[in-house]
Amino acid sequence: MTTINDAAPLPLPDFATTFPGPFPASPHGEHTEHRLLSWLEEHPLLPTTKARNSLANITSHGATHTFPTAEADDLALFAQLLLWLTAFDDVHGEGNATSTPGAFVDRTSELMLVLAGNDPSPAKNPFPTALHHLLTRFQIRTSPTAYHRLTAALRDTLIALIWEVHHTTKPEKVTLKTYLAMRPHTVFIKVIMATAEIILDYELTPAQRTLNPVRRLETSVSDLAGWINDLASYKRESAQGPTLPLSLPTLLQIQNRESIQEAFARANDMCESEAVAARQTITDLSRDHPNNLTTHARTLESITQSFIWHTSHARYQI
Amino acid sequence: MTTINDAAPLPLPDFATTFPGPFPASPHGEHTEHRLLSWLEEHPLLPTTKARNSLANITSHGATHTFPTAEADDLALFAQLLLWLTAFDDVHGEGNATSTPGAFVDRTSELMLVLAGNDPSPAKNPFPTALHHLLTRFQIRTSPTAYHRLTAALRDTLIALIWEVHHTTKPEKVTLKTYLAMRPHTVFIKVIMATAEIILDYELTPAQRTLNPVRRLETSVSDLAGWINDLASYKRESAQGPTLPLSLPTLLQIQNRESIQEAFARANDMCESEAVAARQTITDLSRDHPNNLTTHARTLESITQSFIWHTSHARYQI
């Protein structure tokens, strides 16, 4: 197996025909960034000013691409949730947790108790209190079913993050099939999709939600989110070592006994094919006059664009 | 610290004045037991005939006390869910999982994927397929919000079980406060309470759900369920060794530096006080003419009685 140390170029997938830029962005980016920074004063999720500034920057700009038409307050609420998730994963998950999966399970269980309705106890760890604060605002903002869908996605994400920290150091023990099923939950796309109807004030009917094209598009977007993120962060994560990252290229290399260049080429093909499928379904769903399905398709389009946009941010450069 | 090997008698709490028997039971016990056994033919969750017969027996009889007025089909559906949970914990959790928390996390993650809407892949492990089967039936049976509440409780239970397997061998590392918060989720009472409105066809309004007496009663019943189970199973679990069980008496012993007899006396007091509080709230909520709140109070009463009833079953005798 070839490792990243070979330093050969690893081009990223090409979305020029399926999701051509420039992507629309909300005008509330700066406002959102300020709101994130002041929220982080109240909830000190991150240890350093540098970490706070960096995460507030990428999250606010990412959010402006995720929901370009959202109201300022809604965009800030969404961005706070996304920042909270990313900060939790950065501080307690990923590399930091691999030495003690048990400690990560304890942190996650505290969050479960908040999701189950327990009041967070004032503690050194600010994540449960910040989550409680967010949930209260989402609950006021939306319908019971939309709120339930959001909290379900959050719970699934917590379980997926626990799964991830138990496998981070030994990606070779994970099958590609399992990885592909778990990845949407660790990249937060399920939470993002659950917030969409809340932030943009629409709600699919139960019948619309089970339509084949809707489910297919949601699956495509979920897969693309994880794969794009994996490809964009592969060099950075590999450089962190000592093991290969638990990431799509790693698992493709192992399953197909191929070089990292071949694995990247294969992953790029997967992304580009999925993007073609997604684009086609977005076009199909948007063909009719404006309705919920068109709104949903356009929203999934902008969510996809936000993941593509992220790959150009400094967080993913090494 | 005194251990169970001292073999002094450890009397259980006395509910003679708060929840006096005999407890009402559904006439569908035998029918339910047959349904469980045939369901286990279809979904071979348990390895031996003996294990199947034993769990079908206690679960069907327990269910007849949990929901004595339920229709036969509803009672069977509830009993299947309860059996599925108990079997999952018996086969993959508790003692069997302590050597490999990672393997338990994998099994739990498969269930999360089913809860998230993925089709279970046909596999050697029958639990995801059986869960999918149950969820489909609950979804048809009830409203979207009641279904969401059930799946939320199931997700929380999975996280709590993961928490438990990470601590089973070292109960001394768990604080009493954390244990008390987590215990309702590992004893399945949150799932049982979420099924109540589905099985008995009533639904609290959002305003009723947040009433102080309702929340207080639900908390009392949740606590009682875990504590009663802990006291009843302590001897059996201690005998399994080699460490003390992760259980209320163990944590009381550690926190208060007291003997197991003193810890039992203290736990019995906790149970009996909580039972007095629960009984008072049931009486208060049932004072008005029949309505949803009365139904809910009576249901929580029978759920409590089912936990008290369980302590007399052979599963808890050593």
Side-chain angles (χ1 to χ4, degrees), chain B residues 79-108:
Chain B
Q80 285 164 3
L81 178 65
L82 194 60
L83 182 141
W84 176 88
L85 268 173
T86 313
F88 180 71
D89 197 27
D90 282 358
V91 172
H92 292 297
E94 289 188 348
N96 292 318
T98 52
S99 55
T100 55
F104 185 72
V105 166
D106 285 351
R107 296 293 80 72
T108 309

Side-chain angles (χ1 to χ4, degrees), chain A residues 102 105-106 109 112-113 116-118 121 144-145 148-149 152 155-156 159-160 162-163 166-167 177 181-182 185 215, chain B residues 102 105-106 109 112-113 116-118 121 144-145 148-149 152 155-156 159-160 162-163 166-167 177 181-182 185 215:
Chain A
V105 166
D106 285 351
S109 302
M112 177 278 276
L113 292 173
N118 291 32
S121 53
T145 42
H148 278 301
R149 272 197 300 277
R155 289 168 159 111
D156 292 345
I159 295 175
I162 292 173
W163 173 86
H166 281 81
H167 291 287
K177 187 182 170 197
M182 296 301 290
H185 300 280
R215 298 190 65 156
Chain B
V105 166
D106 285 351
S109 302
M112 177 278 277
L113 292 173
N118 292 32
S121 52
T145 43
H148 278 301
R149 272 197 301 279
R155 289 168 159 111
D156 292 345
I159 295 175
I162 291 174
W163 173 86
H166 280 82
H167 291 287
K177 188 182 167 198
M182 296 300 292
H185 301 279
R215 298 190 65 156

Side-chain angles (χ1 to χ4, degrees), chain B:
Chain B
M1 189 190 307
T2 312
T3 74
I4 194 69
N5 297 328
D6 295 357
L10 295 172
L12 292 179
D14 180 358
F15 299 111
T17 56
T18 48
F19 290 89
F23 304 134
S26 158
H28 305 304
E30 229 174 290
H31 172 83
T32 305
E33 191 167 355
H34 288 304
R35 291 279 293 270
L36 288 180
L37 288 169
S38 63
W39 193 69
L40 282 172
E41 295 288 325
E42 194 183 338
H43 303 283
L45 308 177
L46 291 163
T48 65
T49 305
K50 188 183 167 198
R52 281 196 286 277
N53 288 344
S54 166
L55 197 56
N57 182 268
I58 188 172
T59 306
S60 59
H61 285 81
T64 66
H65 291 93
T66 311
F67 299 127
T69 61
E71 301 283 341
D73 279 355
D74 293 327
L75 196 65
L77 178 58
F78 165 71
Q80 285 164 3
L81 178 65
L82 194 60
L83 182 141
W84 176 88
L85 268 173
T86 313
F88 180 71
D89 197 27
D90 282 358
V91 172
H92 292 297
E94 289 188 348
N96 292 318
T98 52
S99 55
T100 55
F104 185 72
V105 166
D106 285 351
R107 296 293 80 72
T108 309
S109 302
E110 290 165 3
L111 302 176
M112 177 278 277
L113 292 173
V114 173
L115 283 159
N118 292 32
D119 286 332
S121 52
K124 279 179 293 181
N125 171 10
F127 284 95
T129 303
L131 174 62
H132 181 71
H133 180 238
L134 289 167
L135 291 178
T136 305
R137 288 157 66 210
F138 271 105
Q139 194 161 23
I140 292 166
R141 177 70 185 79
T142 191
S143 73
T145 43
Y147 179 74
H148 278 301
R149 272 197 301 279
L150 171 61
T151 52
L154 282 166
R155 289 168 159 111
D156 292 345
T157 296
L158 295 183
I159 295 175
L161 292 177
I162 291 174
W163 173 86
E164 190 177 52
V165 302
H166 280 82
H167 291 287
T168 304
T169 56
K170 291 190 177 166
E172 69 279 7
K173 300 278 185 192
V174 176
T175 67
L176 180 60
K177 188 182 167 198
T178 299
Y179 183 74
L180 293 177
M182 296 300 292
R183 184 62 179 127
H185 301 279
T186 57
V187 80
F188 312 149
I189 182 69
K190 299 289 184 179
V191 174
I192 294 169
M193 293 203 303
T195 60
E197 294 176 52
I198 300 173
I199 297 301
L200 300 178
D201 252 328
Y202 69 98
E203 190 153 0
L204 297 188
T205 64
Q208 286 176 327
R209 206 174 294 287
T210 57
L211 285 175
N212 268 336
V214 170
R215 298 190 65 156
R216 225 171 33 235
L217 179 56
E218 290 179 351
T219 303
S220 291
V221 173
S222 299
D223 287 339
L224 275 171
W227 302 347
I228 291 171
N229 184 286
D230 277 0
L231 291 167
S233 58
Y234 190 82
K235 281 197 172 185
R236 183 185 60 149
E237 291 182 355
S238 296
Q240 286 164 353
T243 58
L244 287 177
L246 176 57
S247 175
L248 180 61
T250 303
L251 295 180
L252 288 175
Q253 272 187 280
I254 294 170
Q255 161 139 336
N256 303 305
R257 299 169 182 277
E258 62 195 6
S259 69
I260 184 63
Q261 285 77 18
E262 288 164 327
F264 254 73
R266 189 186 296 270
N268 286 348
D269 280 351
M270 288 166 63
C271 285
E272 289 161 13
S273 303
E274 202 67 58
V276 168
R279 169 56 60 200
Q280 184 58 51
T281 317
I282 290 167
T283 306
D284 293 347
L285 286 171
S286 311
R287 190 163 290 151
D288 296 332
H289 48 83
N291 67 13
N292 270 354
L293 288 180
T294 304
T295 306
H296 195 56
R298 289 292 163 210
T299 305
L300 290 169
E301 178 183 28
S302 66
I303 290 173
T304 307
Q305 288 166 343
S306 78
F307 275 88
I308 296 172
W309 172 86
H310 269 91
T311 63
S312 63
H313 191 276
R315 182 176 164 102
Y316 293 98
Q317 315 303 318
I318 58 168

Side-chain angles (χ1 to χ4, degrees), chain A residues 262-317:
Chain A
E262 288 165 325
F264 255 71
R266 187 188 296 270
N268 286 349
D269 279 351
M270 288 166 63
C271 285
E272 289 161 15
S273 303
E274 202 68 57
V276 168
R279 170 56 59 199
Q280 184 58 51
T281 318
I282 290 167
T283 306
D284 292 347
L285 287 171
S286 312
R287 190 163 290 152
D288 296 333
H289 49 82
N291 66 14
N292 271 354
L293 288 181
T294 304
T295 306
H296 195 55
R298 290 292 163 209
T299 304
L300 290 170
E301 178 183 27
S302 66
I303 290 173
T304 307
Q305 288 166 344
S306 78
F307 275 87
I308 297 172
W309 171 87
H310 268 90
T311 63
S312 62
H313 191 276
R315 183 177 163 100
Y316 293 97
Q317 314 304 318

Side-chain angles (χ1 to χ4, degrees), chain A residues 143-186:
Chain A
S143 73
T145 42
Y147 179 74
H148 278 301
R149 272 197 300 277
L150 172 61
T151 52
L154 282 166
R155 289 168 159 111
D156 292 345
T157 296
L158 295 183
I159 295 175
L161 292 177
I162 292 173
W163 173 86
E164 190 177 51
V165 304
H166 281 81
H167 291 287
T168 304
T169 57
K170 292 190 176 166
E172 70 278 8
K173 300 277 184 192
V174 176
T175 67
L176 180 61
K177 187 182 170 197
T178 299
Y179 183 75
L180 294 177
M182 296 301 290
R183 183 62 179 130
H185 300 280
T186 57

